[in-house]
Amino acid sequence: MNNGDGKRWNGGGEEDEDEDEESGGPDGWQITYADERSWESLQEDESGLLRPIDNKILYHAQYRRRIRSLSSQATTARIQKGLIRYLFVIIDFSRAAGETDFRPSRMVVVAKLVEAFIREFFDQNPLSQLGLVSVKDGVAQCLTELGGSPESHVKALMGKLECSGESSLQNALDLVHGHLKQIPSYGHREVLVLYSALSTCDPGDIMETIQKCKKSKIRCSVIGLSAELFICKHLCQETGGSYSVALDEPHLKELILEHAPPPPAIAEFAIANLLKMGFPQRAAESSIAICSCHKEAKVGGGYTCPRCKARVCELPTECRVCGLTLISSPHLARSYHHLFPVVPFDEVPLSFLNDAHNRSPRSCFGCQQSLLNPGNKPGLRVKCPKCKQHFCLDCDIYIHESLHNCPGCESFRHSKSAIASEE
Amino acid sequence: MASAPSKLYADDVSLLVVLLDTNPFFWSSFSLPFSKFLSHVLSFLNSILLLNQFNQVVVIATGCNSCDYIYDSSSATSTDAESGRMPALCSDLLRKLDEFVTRDQHLGEKDSLGPPTSSLLSGSLSMALCYIQKVFRSGPLHPQPRILCLQGSTDGPEQYVAIMNAIFSAQRSMVPIDSCFMGSNNSAFLQQASYITGGVYQKPQQLDGLFQYLSTVFATDLHSRTFLRLPKSVGVDFRASCFCHKRTIDMGYICSVCLSIFCKHHKKCSTCGSAFGQPQSDVPSASNVK
């Protein structure tokens, strides 16, 4: 019986070929059912009636598990975050990257996701630098050096997408180690490997290379696209990174973007230092100056280095004349939410809500959405432990993932003074 | 040619969230009385609702001790249903605003720290952004949201981190923050907000013509702004202030662990307790200095 997914379960390659020739492949309507099996999203409730799976509750439960695991890590060990990061992304362009299990091919999917990752990385870590390395034909090459401008990295990556030959993990690590050895001691050294191959072709002892990286305090993480490899797992365990294997494209995207926010920093890895930086003023619209990056006269809209008064076009950058790092205060402010996170909200138990003596708010404090289920019964909600305001589940996710402010705590002056007096 | 249903929520439908500063310590000493100011604002809100049938207006009051929703044009409650929305706007809004100001004052009576000079802009910005997220979630057809801050009180430096968080979240969701600042000196926070999110910052010169400023600069929807010459940002001050003296500096020292800004060389960071130049070990926990 055709179960509607366009595949025939009677095995044998020849039979499939014949059928494909006859019917010209699965029909258009069959293709839509191949990916989304809408009948699987129905469930039966206690009395045998059909009801759809409440995706919102599942999504929220998943999000709460993630938040709880993150906050428990942070409170048990006083983990600081590595905010000034020097990250190399090693992309495997070996023969295995041409496999089509990710459509259209692993290489194209990885390139697209790395582009999104680069933009997200500079958005969340404005003071950090990124470099790209490609591994092809057993040789590792630097696509771009460590730098702070997202456009140059994306352009170099999308330049030529071709794959061939074997992949060599040791050569890539050696190359990256050579570059990361030279960076200043306050920076956090990281490597992210996107590995599609199932083997590595190395000229020497890769265990020695791994020990070298461990001694230089480079944190290597690997995301595998095919299967789990012992050598990758060993590398990550030795250097303190994370190893994960992607199941499909959305999972791969999630795994890559997990590396964009600063990782918990192991305290001994980086030495704290005071860095001298400049905060340039924006020039007036009608001023004319010769800019130091393009070496040509430009009108208006640039920044003046406070030490040597040279003009630069964009921030953050390093002044070409005197070497001072130039940033603006919003760049620093982008990272402050890592240092002052919002406490996870508590779920309000249904027993508390159903108790007629407790008067709980009818609408979410943030977005004014009604918190009542149809039939005027109180619905699921969360509560901030500091200001005791009730929020709906969507606001909970938005507040913790994007806004990083609790509207309740910010809207009551007394909650602020109470917190200040506790400290 | 676009078909009729998509024309209903075309790109010139806007949702305007107005953050109204109700700080009594500012308004009592200001040249324009609060009642006259309100009459300008109410006429402006009426004109927004008249510009397009589907425009929505939400008003959030920014007080000294609390913030709250005052008016939502899309909510069905209106005391005078037959006369349409316009009279309901005035009576509803004024009634709720009156209740809010009384409540805010009560909350402030227990305050022993002295009269606050700043209003809680970070709170009302956060509430506005949560409301706008709700609108985004309501489906593919929704009005284009933007935020307008009508502010007069000075910036409270303790709100810096919260306001910057709100600004970056607005930038990500592509919600412009416009500001009409009526205080004496320019507000650095609002200038940065408008610059980063792509909104308009204006400090009106003559306040008895406030309605004219509001309707010419702030009434246009986002799509039509591409055809207009709106006031450009002049000299946004991006300099940071040092954590030790709160002075603005143009060259400073940054702690590599917590990114705190100092104006002079220190041996130890006062925010995170890291000793500079030595590998970090177990340091005693330092208090959070916001």
Side-chain angles (χ1 to χ4, degrees):
Chain A
M1 177 176 119
N2 184 2
N3 51 6
D5 60 359
K7 291 189 225 145
R8 304 255 173 215
W9 290 103
N10 29 351
E14 295 166 17
E15 285 182 53
D16 279 351
E17 265 180 56
D18 286 339
E19 281 163 347
D20 275 349
E21 280 172 39
E22 274 173 51
S23 58
D27 295 324
W29 61 269
Q30 287 177 331
I31 295 178
T32 51
Y33 287 115
D35 292 329
E36 308 168 12
R37 301 172 188 207
S38 49
W39 58 90
E40 285 180 358
S41 63
L42 292 176
Q43 270 182 341
E44 281 186 17
D45 64 6
E46 307 84 45
S47 47
L49 298 171
L50 286 178
R51 63 182 164 93
I53 293 183
D54 195 348
N55 278 321
K56 200 165 102 149
I57 307 279
L58 278 182
Y59 180 60
H60 189 254
Q62 201 180 30
Y63 146 80
R64 287 199 67 78
R65 273 197 295 272
R66 194 168 64 224
I67 289 279
R68 244 194 306 258
S69 69
L70 283 176
S71 67
S72 64
Q73 272 176 23
T75 46
T76 49
R78 263 191 62 251
I79 295 185
Q80 293 168 328
K81 304 243 180 175
L83 292 173
I84 303 189
R85 306 164 68 185
Y86 292 87
L87 173 72
F88 265 105
V89 181
I90 298 177
I91 310 179
D92 179 7
F93 281 118
S94 66
R95 215 176 15 235
E99 293 281 327
T100 51
D101 56 355
F102 286 84
R103 299 189 220 123
S105 74
R106 286 186 190 168
M107 185 175 63
V108 174
V109 168
V110 162
K112 209 166 47 142
L113 292 176
V114 167
E115 182 188 341
F117 170 76
I118 290 175
R119 296 194 195 282
E120 185 68 21
F121 178 80
F122 284 112
D123 194 49
Q124 297 218 16
N125 306 278
L127 297 174
S128 308
Q129 293 187 358
L130 186 116
L132 294 173
V133 169
S134 77
V135 184
K136 205 159 71 168
D137 293 322
V139 172
Q141 260 179 336
C142 244
L143 280 177
T144 54
E145 299 282 335
L146 277 175
S149 145
E151 289 308 324
S152 59
H153 293 305
V154 172
K155 214 159 62 171
L157 176 65
M158 296 307 197
K160 274 189 325 185
L161 283 183
E162 36 185 53
C163 58
S164 65
E166 296 286 327
S167 142
S168 172
L169 193 55
Q170 185 184 7
N171 283 339
L173 287 176
D174 276 332
L175 178 66
V176 164
H177 178 262
H179 281 91
L180 284 178
K181 229 174 22 176
Q182 304 163 358
I183 64 152
S185 57
Y186 53 77
H188 288 263
R189 304 158 187 198
E190 296 173 42
V191 172
L192 176 62
V193 186
L194 293 166
Y195 213 63
S196 329
L198 283 172
S199 59
T200 169
C201 189
D202 300 328
D205 187 2
I206 192 171
M207 297 302 186
E208 259 181 45
T209 311
I210 294 181
Q211 289 307 314
K212 223 171 41 167
C213 288
K214 182 175 175 182
K215 249 206 294 243
S216 305
K217 304 193 185 136
I218 303 178
R219 181 180 181 266
C220 306
S221 302
V222 181
I223 298 180
L225 279 89
S226 44
E228 185 181 354
L229 292 177
F230 168 75
I231 190 64
C232 295
K233 193 165 170 178
H234 182 73
L235 168 67
C236 295
Q237 272 173 350
E238 288 288 304
T239 55
S242 69
Y243 182 36
S244 30
V245 177
L247 296 172
D248 51 26
E249 196 179 320
H251 188 217
L252 177 63
K253 182 173 183 184
E254 202 185 293
L255 289 175
I256 291 185
L257 289 180
E258 249 174 33
H259 286 94
I266 305 165
E268 307 85 53
F269 271 26
I271 300 182
N273 245 321
L274 264 185
L275 315 168
K276 194 172 167 88
M277 296 200 185
F279 299 97
Q281 293 242 48
R282 196 170 165 79
E285 285 300 317
S286 50
S287 65
I288 306 179
I290 299 183
C291 88
S292 53
C293 25
H294 300 105
K295 314 268 191 297
E296 54 184 37
K298 295 222 170 181
V299 186
Y303 301 93
T304 319
C305 169
R307 192 154 69 178
C308 67
K309 309 286 185 271
R311 183 197 186 279
V312 291
C313 287
E314 51 175 30
L315 296 179
T317 186
E318 219 179 76
C319 175
R320 282 180 190 226
V321 177
C322 63
L324 182 66
T325 311
L326 299 174
I327 50 170
S328 64
S329 47
H331 290 129
L332 293 178
R334 265 183 215 280
S335 305
Y336 286 156
H337 70 86
H338 295 298
L339 309 167
F340 307 117
V342 187
V343 284
F345 291 167
D346 305 320
E347 276 176 17
V348 180
L350 275 175
S351 52
F352 178 86
L353 293 172
N354 288 330
D355 190 352
H357 296 295
N358 297 320
R359 251 181 338 127
S360 28
R362 304 174 137 238
S363 51
C364 165
F365 184 78
C367 62
Q368 299 288 295
Q369 190 174 9
S370 168
L371 288 173
L372 301 170
N373 282 335
N376 274 345
K377 283 181 14 171
L380 266 187
R381 67 203 53 197
V382 288
K383 186 172 78 152
C384 169
K386 286 191 181 164
C387 61
K388 314 277 188 277
Q389 294 292 337
H390 287 213
F391 295 94
C392 63
L393 308 182
D394 300 305
C395 277
D396 183 15
I397 296 178
Y398 174 65
I399 287 170
H400 285 94
E401 305 217 316
S402 183
L403 183 58
H404 306 292
N405 283 345
C406 167
C409 298
E410 295 300 325
S411 307
F412 287 100
R413 192 176 285 276
H414 291 287
S415 66
K416 277 197 222 255
S417 50
I419 295 164
S421 58
E422 274 166 38
E423 288 173 9
Chain B
M1 202 170 111
S3 58
S6 70
K7 267 284 196 191
L8 289 177
Y9 270 70
D11 28 9
D12 52 358
V13 177
S14 39
L15 159 68
L16 179 64
V17 184
V18 181
L19 309 182
L20 203 61
D21 185 6
T22 62
N23 184 349
F25 300 99
F26 167 72
W27 287 110
S28 56
S29 56
F30 194 53
S31 49
L32 183 72
F34 190 60
S35 49
K36 284 231 172 40
F37 167 73
L38 267 185
S39 65
H40 287 290
V41 173
L42 285 173
S43 325
F44 168 66
L45 296 179
N46 277 329
S47 70
I48 296 278
L49 289 170
L50 281 175
L51 277 173
N52 190 310
Q53 193 185 358
F54 299 104
N55 276 351
Q56 291 175 28
V57 168
V58 175
V59 183
I60 300 177
T62 314
C64 295
N65 302 300
S66 60
C67 303
D68 203 1
Y69 284 87
I70 298 292
Y71 177 72
D72 183 350
S73 68
S74 56
S75 66
T77 54
S78 68
T79 47
D80 206 356
E82 296 105 49
S83 336
R85 287 193 293 186
M86 285 197 311
L89 172 98
C90 302
S91 58
D92 270 352
L93 198 152
L94 290 174
R95 185 172 43 88
K96 284 231 179 93
L97 188 60
D98 199 29
E99 288 167 18
F100 171 77
V101 173
T102 332
R103 262 200 322 253
D104 199 47
Q105 207 178 5
H106 277 309
L107 284 174
E109 277 161 12
K110 303 175 235 156
D111 204 351
S112 53
L113 298 168
T117 50
S118 60
S119 50
L120 296 172
L121 182 62
S122 55
S124 49
L125 262 180
S126 308
M127 290 165 75
L129 286 168
C130 286
Y131 186 90
I132 288 177
Q133 287 301 310
K134 182 181 84 167
V135 169
F136 280 144
R137 282 193 301 263
S138 65
L141 294 178
H142 59 77
Q144 302 289 324
R146 66 182 193 272
I147 298 179
L148 170 62
C149 298
L150 298 172
Q151 187 82 354
S153 333
T154 48
D155 301 328
E158 69 277 0
Q159 295 174 30
Y160 177 66
V161 180
I163 291 188
M164 295 311 284
N165 284 339
I167 292 175
F168 295 132
S169 185
Q171 187 193 25
R172 271 180 159 205
S173 329
M174 293 193 284
V175 174
I177 300 180
D178 299 327
S179 350
C180 180
F181 187 71
M182 294 163 288
S184 36
N185 304 318
N186 279 321
S187 158
F189 290 173
L190 287 175
Q191 274 182 324
Q192 289 194 23
S194 300
Y195 182 77
I196 292 174
T197 56
V200 181
Y201 174 87
Q202 168 108 57
K203 186 165 175 311
Q205 297 300 314
Q206 282 166 324
L207 285 156
D208 39 0
L210 183 65
F211 173 71
Q212 198 168 334
Y213 286 100
L214 292 176
S215 58
T216 49
V217 178
F218 297 111
T220 44
D221 55 278
L222 299 178
H223 179 69
S224 313
R225 283 190 183 188
T226 50
F227 315 127
L228 299 173
R229 280 184 86 86
L230 292 172
K232 285 210 203 67
S233 64
V234 184
V236 184
D237 194 352
F238 278 124
R239 288 177 305 178
S241 33
C242 66
F243 280 30
C244 32
H245 311 105
K246 302 278 189 278
R247 276 195 311 230
T248 41
I249 47 171
D250 54 7
M251 255 198 297
Y253 295 91
I254 315 281
C255 166
S256 63
V257 174
C258 63
L259 300 186
S260 325
I261 309 170
F262 302 106
C263 48
K264 294 196 313 259
H265 215 283
H266 288 236
K267 282 241 168 58
K268 208 164 89 101
C269 173
S270 53
T271 321
C272 64
S274 344
F276 296 123
Q278 298 160 32
Q280 301 162 62
S281 53
D282 284 299
V283 285
S285 55
S287 59
N288 267 349
V289 176
K290 273 208 180 192

